[in-house]
Amino acid sequence: MQNRIQELRKVKKLTQDEIAKLCNVSRQTINAIENNKYDPSLSLAFDLARSLGTTVDELFNGGKTD
């Protein structure tokens, strides 16, 4: 599943560690999600979107509805 976490995280000037702390997960979890090695739970997806000021839809498929 492609995502925009790294892109949006950098726009917000957040490190992987900072976003991980906001979402109560490890930095390694954020790294794995950014590198498409781990699909987050729905709850974590919402936490990530909220922390990055976007929606789950925008975060994980760029708002595409196909």
Side-chain angles (χ1 to χ4, degrees):
M1 171 185 329
Q2 293 295 329
N3 67 70
R4 299 178 59 214
I5 296 169
Q6 183 177 31
E7 171 190 345
L8 295 174
R9 180 175 58 77
K10 287 183 177 185
V11 167
K12 296 254 183 200
K13 296 182 170 56
L14 293 169
T15 65
Q16 285 183 342
D17 193 51
E18 290 168 331
I19 196 76
K21 286 178 182 171
L22 289 171
C23 296
N24 297 311
V25 296
S26 69
R27 183 201 57 78
Q28 291 86 349
T29 298
I30 300 301
N31 183 272
I33 296 168
E34 284 184 358
N35 290 296
N36 298 308
K37 295 181 179 178
Y38 176 75
D39 289 333
S41 67
L42 188 56
S43 175
L44 179 51
F46 277 103
D47 287 345
L48 285 165
R50 182 178 25 79
S51 297
L52 293 167
T54 190
T55 64
V56 171
D57 191 45
E58 281 290 327
L59 189 59
F60 287 95
N61 69 16
K64 297 175 187 165
T65 56
D66 29 274

